[in-house]
Amino acid sequence: MQKKKKILFAPLIAIFFLLVSISCSELENNKHSKTEVDSLKLDYSSHKLPTDIKWITNNTDPIFASPKAKKGGTYYSFIRSFPLTFRTVGPDSNTVTRSMFMNNQMHLIGYHPNTGRLIPLLATHWAYDKDGKTMYFKINKNARWSDGVPVTADDFIFTLEFMRSKYIKAPWYNDNFTIFFDKIIKYDEKTFSISTPKTVPDLWFHLEMQPRPMHFYKQIDENYVKDYNWKIEPNVGPYFLEKFSKGKYLIFKRKKDWWAKDLRYFKNRFNVDRIKYIVIRDMNVAYEYFKKGKIDTFEATRPTMWHTKAKGKIFDNGYVHMICFYNEIKQPTTGLYLNLDKEIFKDINIRRALAHAINFTKLNKQVLRGDFERLHSIFTGFGEWTNKKIRARKFNIMKVEMYMKKSGWQRGNDGIWIREGLRFSVLITYGNPDLTPRIVILKEEAKKAGIEFRLELLDYSAAYKKQMEKKHEVMFGGFASSPNLRPEPWQAFHSDNAHKSQTNNITNTDDPEMDRLIDAYRTSMKAKERIKYIHKIQKRVHDICAWIPLYQVPYVRHLYWRWIKLPKVPGASKSVQLFEPYEPWDNKYGGLFWIDEKVKKETLNAMNKGISFQPVTIIDRTYKNR
């Protein structure tokens, strides 16, 4: 199943685009399969299992947790607000606690964070049907809900029924589970199959599903939203919500008899006994809590936090450690998006000249403290699917001059390029005031190359509206990385989405060769062939030069009290957070850290007596450029 992408909107990465990974054309093309959800009668009876199934499993990939991990202790963290509901579907459910609940509802299978191969999660085995649309699954015989009830095939059939119901008041889920899921067939209590309406590449990714406990939902009717607003749904993961105080805190407790605790890819993970989230609405207040030891860890990826705020006695005396961990996550597409429907950008020489007028090196050094790295490909962080041969165009005034003169432009009296009364002056629109220092540096350097940048700072909503209506000249921003396993070029670069509002092709790229490559990529079912196409697509994006890449942050940085321990290799290659307590539903691999209660007692005693330890800053490059 495909999922909606999140908006990222922060000074660290200039991102302000809403991106939905369910493409409009896919919804349109599948309308024939959509039926009235309430008239669907799902079959809970058992059927005969085909005899030619070849079951697959994987219990041989490397373990990425530490055998030194200890169980016990309470991990203290914070959330910015208390949720309006404990439901994960329906009105007001898209809150911070939704991820906590969803991260304790496991998928059937996932992929290994370092090898990329499929591994068992809730299912022990899986198989593919010859029709290319169906997968079979065997649920772990020991799998059970947090209330002790076994997980069965009926729970998955019910999930389809639940997600299609109009009573959950979630049209997006209604559409998804009707359009992208065809049927679920039960063969026995632990064996079933799921089918899609049509063949798709990476079938397992499209069929991933988290079950809902059928026994918990006595009746789904018009009272669902109210009746289940504060009820705690049973889960299959390592933790459950033990207690809470509205507006103040949430406490999750580890299941000591968790059915999956000794499985290969779960052993020595999810180690802390309890996780307490305190409601702290202000980040500055939260940091004060952290400095007093009332919160165990604090993210410090932003340059100001890492270089400026992470100072003082708790660091100098070694009570708090610092870590920078390089990962291999999919990167947001931060850069300049040129609108090719604007007359000035119809000339490819002009676009390439502009690309060579971007001085990333100076931007990084003067504003970003040298912390960021240049982004090169539109699809970075997808492993072998990323074309690593592509390199972003470097700041080069001589090349700017070459391209400009090639198209008949000349320098004006003020040094700005001019042709037939038209100045090379472009309006850069953005939606975050924290980005202004970055764009000012780019403006000053571009002027040296004869290009004038005019800055247009709008509020977030206005910037988003202008971009979606395709009224911009240049947008500074980027798309959040998709949870999908593979790159998705259709939305941003196919002509189907050009020259019209409310599509993600904000550059208005309309290129026959690009269309041919994207169409071939979308219809191919062979991985090697698809990799070849996506490499060519990335090269074509580079050649067209409607998107000028800026920067990426290929790491995460944290501050943490010395009693919090990590494995020798602190995270998995896909770890976005090193101190994520759960098994994230979008495959980010948490639960690797633990608490050393002996070290905690030692540290607190040392602080009272003025005893210091050696300061610690860890830079882990295990997965950097591997």
Side-chain angles (χ1 to χ4, degrees), residues 127 134 161 182 186 190 229 292 354 432 460 464 506 555:
T134 301
E161 181 180 343
D182 185 24
K186 172 183 172 183
K190 296 289 185 176
N229 204 55
K292 294 176 182 177
L354 180 58
N432 187 334
Y460 167 72
Y464 173 72
I506 62 170
Y555 55 78

Side-chain angles (χ1 to χ4, degrees), residues 216-425:
F216 173 72
Y217 291 99
K218 303 300 182 183
Q219 187 173 354
I220 302 299
D221 56 23
E222 63 274 6
N223 296 316
Y224 159 77
V225 171
K226 176 172 60 72
D227 289 349
Y228 289 90
N229 204 55
W230 295 108
K231 289 185 179 180
I232 302 171
E233 181 185 71
N235 64 45
V236 294
Y239 292 90
F240 68 94
L241 182 61
E242 179 187 31
K243 62 176 67 172
F244 63 92
S245 177
K246 288 185 179 180
K248 295 181 179 179
Y249 66 81
L250 297 159
I251 299 177
F252 286 78
K253 183 179 180 181
R254 180 171 63 86
K255 305 172 188 174
K256 294 187 177 180
D257 61 345
W258 184 43
W259 65 271
K261 64 184 176 65
D262 294 322
L263 295 181
R264 179 176 181 82
Y265 302 113
F266 295 131
K267 196 171 183 178
N268 297 315
R269 294 175 64 191
F270 319 116
N271 301 303
V272 297
D273 282 348
R274 284 181 171 81
I275 304 147
K276 183 171 182 178
Y277 295 99
I278 308 165
V279 177
I280 306 176
R281 304 182 190 282
D282 185 276
M283 288 293 288
N284 292 322
V285 174
Y287 188 55
E288 292 302 315
Y289 268 62
F290 169 74
K291 289 194 296 183
K292 294 176 182 177
K294 296 180 180 180
I295 291 173
D296 288 317
T297 65
F298 205 88
E299 186 176 347
T301 303
R302 296 183 181 183
T304 52
M305 177 60 71
W306 183 259
H307 293 286
T308 305
K309 290 192 175 183
K311 295 185 182 300
K313 288 185 179 181
I314 58 174
F315 299 95
D316 298 338
N317 293 338
Y319 305 141
V320 172
H321 295 179
M322 303 173 68
I323 185 169
C324 174
F325 175 75
Y326 283 84
N327 50 27
E328 293 182 313
I329 65 170
K330 293 169 285 188
Q331 291 291 326
T333 59
T334 307
L336 299 178
Y337 288 76
L338 316 185
N339 187 347
L340 301 193
D341 279 355
K342 299 298 181 181
E343 191 63 35
I344 193 170
F345 291 131
K346 290 182 179 180
D347 185 342
I348 195 169
N349 288 328
I350 303 306
R351 303 199 296 268
R352 290 176 177 171
L354 180 58
H356 281 295
I358 300 302
N359 195 338
F360 165 76
T361 301
K362 192 162 187 178
L363 164 65
N364 194 31
K365 182 179 180 180
Q366 289 198 359
V367 181
L368 304 176
R369 297 177 178 264
D371 286 359
F372 290 12
E373 295 183 7
R374 188 72 193 264
L375 187 64
H376 296 286
S377 170
I378 190 71
F379 297 119
T380 295
F382 287 84
E384 62 182 334
W385 298 72
T386 296
N387 188 339
K388 296 180 181 179
K389 294 181 180 179
I390 296 173
R391 311 312 291 172
R393 294 174 176 88
K394 295 182 179 180
F395 181 70
N396 189 320
I397 294 178
M398 291 181 65
K399 286 193 174 183
V400 174
E401 300 226 356
M402 178 192 73
Y403 282 119
M404 296 306 294
K405 289 178 179 178
K406 194 173 181 179
S407 289
W409 291 67
Q410 296 179 337
R411 291 262 197 168
N413 294 333
D414 59 356
I416 303 300
W417 293 99
I418 189 169
R419 187 184 69 178
E420 299 176 357
L422 177 65
R423 285 164 52 83
F424 196 167
S425 176

